[in-house]
Amino acid sequence: MLITPLFPVEPWAVREPAFDLAALPQTESVFALSNGHIGLRGNLDEGEPHGLPGTYLNSLYEQRPLPHAEGGYGYPETGETVINVTNGKLIRLLVDDEPFDVRYGELRSHERELSLRDGYLKRSVEWTSPAGKTVSVVSTRLVSMTHRAIAAICYEVTAVDRPARVVVQSELVANEQLPGAGADPREAAVLTLPLRAEERELHETRALLVHSTRRSGLRVGAAMDHIVVAPGEVWTGMNGSEDTARFTATTRLEPGQSLRVVKFLAYGWSSQRSLPAVRAQVEAALVGAKATGWDGLVSQQRAFFDEFWDRADVDLDGDPGVQQAVRYALFQVLQASARAEHRPVPAKGLTGPGYDGHAFWDAETFVLPVLTYTEPDAAADALRWRHKILPTARARAQQLLLNGAAFPWRTITGPECSGYWPAGTAGFHINADIADAAIRLVDATGDLEFERQVGIELLVETARLWRSLGFHDQAGDFRIDGVTGPDEYSAIVDNNVYTNLMAQRNLAGAVDAVGRHPDRAAELGVTYEEVAAWRRAAERMFIPFDEVRGVHPQAEGFTDHQVWDFDNTPPERYPLLLHYPYHDLYRKQVVKQADLVLAMHLRGDAFTAEQKAANFAYYEPLTVRDSSLSACTQAVIAAEVGQLDLAYDYLGEAARMDLDNLANNTGSGLHIASLAGAWIALVAGFGGMRDHGGKLTFAPRLPTSLQRLTFTMCWRGRRIRVEIT
């Protein structure tokens, strides 16, 4: 497929040089700004036209019924969906009473630039109204990394050729009208009017709206304040309703004169605090931001990103497109997590409503490894969120008649929200993925206090799950039957190799952690007999192997299935899940996303070099591109087995997934795990970085297309710089 790049290749920016109406849904996601707490889609300041309006707060959701055509034991009855909260991005412009709209008049120039160094989005426009008045508009938007609750916009309009009376309307709007959902089941459910008004305060330049969600009972406050600068007299006013607040500033500009409006936004929400407490929280954040001022926020933002790039940058020679993409990827992974602070990293970050805003295993398996080596505090916070939802995970395990904790396949606050029962009731590998992330973080940071407070309980409860889920057969081997592995084109299988190997790491990790913290283990009720059972299960974990074909089956019996008829599957019938029944996918050898190959990456210590080469050769033609999670893993193992050109192709796919809209669904939000995969493909693939057994090793290998690769990592309180030529 020939891709026409929408964004010129630049090392430190993503820039749209001209307005493209058809690409609006994609660019709104690509230009999204976030700090892990607040997320603003890259909508135009004036709000229209739009692909999908979006302002999100991490973990602010609404409940919705989760109906099943046929019920079953353990099926979740209620889902959680991220909602579009009060929109504070809106700044409308009228020139002599004619509204600025890119679809009318003459759009003489239009450029948007996302600065990866500065952490803001800048828009520059020159527009001639239908009456012939030309103005230029420069708008700069940021979501602060240093003030968790704050976003800000600097909006400047200049008369170009003739005098003009300009009116700027800055708004807060709750319960925006949203476009209907499409046919893709991955899109979010549309919730109508999710917010109920509770309080409104309007002052000269400041406004505050407080709402609560109708079902989940969450309270959210949004506030705005303004600073106006103009060469002459400016008239200002404030008005509003239950769901809106509008600040207006108007003045007459001579050619060359400008009206500048700086808008400060503050957000806060709580499931427990009273209305006065939420209001006070938002007002305090707004006062702090206004005291810092626009220039202060910009300066702090640049300092934050300077520090981040100093410890996380990836620099390469040979492919400017990949260079741009990997920096963009790191930028968005940071935005999805930096200030999440004990809340999840959703699959789409805070860039869109795709997957209902849920967090999956993607976070621990793809995003947290990147954060562990570039922003370890954010990785620790994501695991603290998992620790916080342990009571719900324990209750889910009890419901499933298991011990320990069964973490949800998809969720926002902890309850299982998956209506896809093979994952929601059998995708147990997510428990080992969480344990893997906790083990890796402690190995990389040496933070035994984190292990004592958070990690050991995660490891103990997930180890208990595996011990109750699996069993020792007559030969003494430990089997785990009836599970769904990472590949969603297989379901309810016995002894999925990925699941068994990750459970083995989980069990062994629990044994080690208990040995380091015996007093904490005693508090958790861990017994000697329990530890001995974990150790024996890990030592006797059954890993199936197909002696006839000389490869590991993805799961027991997988290699005996009929191979999917790839030759007679036309390109337009991908992704397969939208065009073929699952029963057909389940009984064929076809892989949606890397499964056995992922095991060879994360548990590479369990395979010989010969096994890796044979396994990769077998599974490569079976793996389709129906998941954005495959490309980076395929790149890592292709590089390890010496197929460097193939690895390089997969790198490009992972790196440019959203910049080039390769899956045609970037409009519903970015693929945060695939973005993280760009870093993984470079650092673990061509850098050969492995972290088995608490040791960091490198086996670099570059494709001919790359002449140099340099990256920086955090390791036990130090920064390591690796350069490969």
Side-chain angles (χ1 to χ4, degrees):
M1 179 174 60
L2 181 63
I3 299 293
T4 302
L6 189 61
F7 312 104
V9 173
E10 302 176 35
W12 285 103
V14 176
R15 183 169 56 89
E16 181 192 39
F19 181 71
D20 187 336
L21 180 61
L24 255 184
Q26 177 191 356
T27 56
E28 288 170 353
S29 294
V30 168
F31 289 140
L33 296 176
S34 174
N35 60 10
H37 176 59
I38 302 171
L40 306 181
R41 276 179 65 81
N43 304 113
L44 303 179
D45 301 282
E46 57 275 15
E48 299 177 22
H50 60 242
L52 182 67
T55 302
Y56 310 108
L57 295 176
N58 194 336
S59 299
L60 197 146
Y61 69 98
E62 183 59 300
Q63 292 176 339
R64 61 183 177 89
L66 201 61
H68 304 274
E70 295 184 14
Y73 180 82
Y75 285 14
E77 297 179 357
T78 303
E80 300 173 337
T81 296
V82 66
I83 63 170
N84 180 36
V85 300
T86 309
N87 182 3
K89 303 188 297 289
L90 287 168
I91 300 180
R92 307 184 196 274
L93 170 66
L94 292 91
V95 179
D96 286 351
D97 297 330
E98 292 186 298
F100 167 48
D101 189 315
V102 294
R103 297 167 294 187
Y104 303 105
E106 180 188 355
L107 191 62
R108 303 178 69 168
S109 66
H110 189 285
E111 179 177 284
R112 288 186 287 176
E113 179 181 348
L114 179 65
S115 171
L116 305 180
R117 281 193 182 276
D118 298 296
Y120 58 59
L121 175 65
K122 185 174 183 179
R123 181 187 184 202
S124 302
V125 182
E126 190 168 288
W127 177 75
T128 300
S129 72
K133 298 285 183 77
T134 300
V135 295
S136 71
V137 177
V138 177
S139 171
T140 307
R141 178 189 302 172
L142 65 81
V143 173
S144 177
M145 291 290 183
T146 54
H147 298 250
R148 182 172 182 256
I150 294 299
I153 303 167
C154 180
Y155 191 92
E156 189 166 4
V157 55
T158 304
V160 173
D161 56 351
R162 296 162 60 186
R165 174 159 292 279
V166 298
V167 179
V168 171
Q169 297 175 321
S170 171
E171 300 185 27
L172 291 175
V173 178
N175 290 319
E176 287 182 286
Q177 184 176 355
L178 300 176
D184 190 333
R186 294 168 292 184
E187 292 186 14
V190 175
L191 297 174
T192 303
L193 303 177
L195 297 173
R196 179 178 58 242
E198 288 195 323
E199 185 170 276
R200 171 173 58 96
E201 291 186 5
L202 306 178
H203 301 279
E204 292 182 354
T205 62
R206 180 168 55 87
L208 179 144
L209 300 178
V210 180
H211 288 76
S212 61
T213 54
R214 298 180 186 276
R215 298 187 185 94
S216 57
L218 308 180
R219 178 171 287 118
V220 55
M224 64 178 180
D225 204 346
H226 304 82
I227 296 175
V228 180
V229 179
E233 184 179 0
V234 180
W235 181 91
T236 62
M238 180 75 75
N239 59 65
S241 63
E242 280 191 343
D243 285 344
T244 63
R246 178 183 296 118
F247 169 75
T248 302
T250 180
T251 190
R252 180 177 175 83
L253 298 176
E254 297 296 326
Q257 290 183 332
S258 302
L259 170 66
R260 185 178 194 242
V261 178
V262 176
K263 179 177 188 176
F264 301 94
L265 289 166
Y267 288 94
W269 74 269
S270 177
S271 60
Q272 298 177 330
R273 288 196 298 277
S274 66
L275 191 154
V278 169
R279 181 182 62 225
Q281 172 195 355
V282 174
E283 288 175 339
L286 192 63
V287 168
K290 194 171 182 180
T292 302
W294 171 256
D295 291 342
L297 291 174
V298 170
S299 176
Q300 291 175 2
Q301 193 86 336
R302 176 60 189 248
F304 182 94
F305 276 97
D306 282 347
E307 171 65 17
F308 172 71
W309 291 119
D310 189 52
R311 67 175 177 272
D313 190 25
V314 175
D315 188 32
L316 57 88
D317 292 337
D319 191 328
V322 169
Q323 176 67 87
Q324 178 191 43
V326 70
R327 283 186 176 138
Y328 176 74
L330 282 166
F331 179 87
Q332 289 292 357
V333 168
L334 179 72
Q335 285 204 136
S337 60
R339 302 303 303 272
E341 297 176 8
H342 301 204
R343 289 183 180 144
V345 180
K348 297 290 187 180
L350 299 177
T351 68
Y355 296 114
D356 287 318
H358 292 162
F360 295 75
W361 68 292
D362 309 17
E364 281 75 21
T365 302
F366 297 93
V367 179
L368 262 59
V370 180
L371 293 175
T372 293
Y373 297 116
T374 61
E375 190 77 5
D377 288 346
D381 273 341
L383 287 168
R384 288 189 179 96
W385 168 70
R386 290 292 189 186
H387 185 258
K388 186 171 72 172
I389 66 172
L390 256 177
T392 308
R394 289 192 186 99
R396 178 63 172 167
Q398 291 176 5
Q399 184 183 33
L400 298 178
L401 310 180
L402 297 167
N403 298 329
F407 283 96
W409 182 248
R410 57 188 298 173
T411 192
I412 293 178
T413 64
E416 180 61 72
C417 294
S418 176
Y420 174 66
W421 65 267
T425 60
F428 291 108
H429 69 83
I430 189 171
N431 300 281
D433 301 327
I434 294 166
D436 174 64
I439 294 168
R440 178 181 295 104
L441 183 66
V442 173
D443 286 345
T445 62
D447 190 349
L448 294 181
E449 187 57 31
F450 170 85
E451 183 177 59
R452 179 182 179 81
Q453 293 178 355
V454 176
I456 187 172
E457 193 168 4
L458 290 173
L459 290 168
V460 164
E461 296 294 6
T462 47
R464 284 170 170 162
L465 174 100
W466 295 118
R467 187 62 189 82
S468 65
L469 181 66
F471 68 99
H472 289 278
D473 62 17
Q474 291 184 346
D477 292 331
F478 191 77
R479 299 174 56 92
I480 304 176
D481 293 342
V483 300
T484 298
D487 172 31
E488 294 169 22
Y489 287 170
S490 297
I492 317 300
V493 298
D494 295 341
N495 296 297
N496 171 255
V497 170
Y498 175 87
T499 300
N500 285 20
L501 284 175
M502 296 300 285
Q504 182 184 54
R505 174 165 163 80
N506 189 165
L507 290 159
V511 171
D512 292 342
V514 165
R516 286 189 291 270
H517 306 280
D519 56 335
R520 185 74 180 99
E523 292 173 1
L524 297 172
V526 177
T527 65
Y528 174 82
E529 291 76 16
E530 197 172 19
V531 174
W534 296 344
R535 182 182 292 110
R536 181 167 178 258
E539 291 172 348
R540 297 301 303 270
M541 186 66 66
F542 176 61
I543 308 300
F545 186 78
D546 185 335
E547 298 288 352
V548 175
R549 297 170 181 85
V551 298
H552 287 85
Q554 181 171 285
E556 206 169 7
F558 179 84
T559 48
D560 294 328
H561 291 171
Q562 182 182 359
V563 175
W564 184 267
D565 188 0
F566 295 101
D567 291 339
N568 291 310
T569 304
E572 63 270 16
R573 302 205 72 180
Y574 291 91
L576 300 179
L577 80 162
L578 299 182
H579 299 93
Y580 296 94
Y582 268 113
H583 83 86
D584 203 16
L585 298 169
Y586 290 161
R587 60 195 180 93
K588 300 286 178 62
Q589 289 191 59
V590 57
V591 180
K592 179 187 178 188
Q593 58 209 52
D595 190 311
L596 191 282
V597 175
L598 182 60
M600 293 196 296
H601 174 202
L602 298 181
R603 285 299 318 275
D605 54 333
F607 300 85
T608 67
E610 293 76 18
Q611 288 173 339
K612 290 178 183 177
N615 286 338
F616 186 76
Y618 188 88
Y619 284 94
E620 165 60 18
L622 300 179
T623 304
V624 296
R625 287 169 159 81
D626 286 359
S627 169
S628 62
L629 301 182
S630 282
C632 70
T633 300
Q634 299 288 104
V636 169
I637 301 303
E640 183 172 355
V641 301
Q643 298 190 39
L644 297 180
D645 290 339
L646 179 60
Y648 182 68
D649 289 343
Y650 274 121
L651 162 66
E653 182 177 331
R656 309 263 336 158
M657 178 62 65
D658 290 310
L659 291 179
D660 293 337
N661 197 16
L662 297 181
N664 294 313
N665 60 2
T666 296
S668 65
L670 300 176
H671 300 77
I672 300 300
S674 183
L675 290 166
W679 184 93
I680 292 170
L682 284 166
V683 173
F686 298 128
M689 186 274 288
R690 297 292 185 273
D691 49 12
H692 302 314
K695 296 180 180 179
L696 197 64
T697 61
F698 299 90
R701 46 184 74 79
L702 289 184
T704 56
S705 300
L706 299 181
Q707 289 78 54
R708 181 184 61 85
L709 172 63
T710 303
F711 53 87
T712 305
M713 298 173 57
C714 302
W715 178 256
R716 297 186 181 174
R718 300 180 181 181
R719 296 183 187 178
I720 298 174
R721 185 172 182 268
V722 179
E723 183 169 0
I724 305 162
T725 58

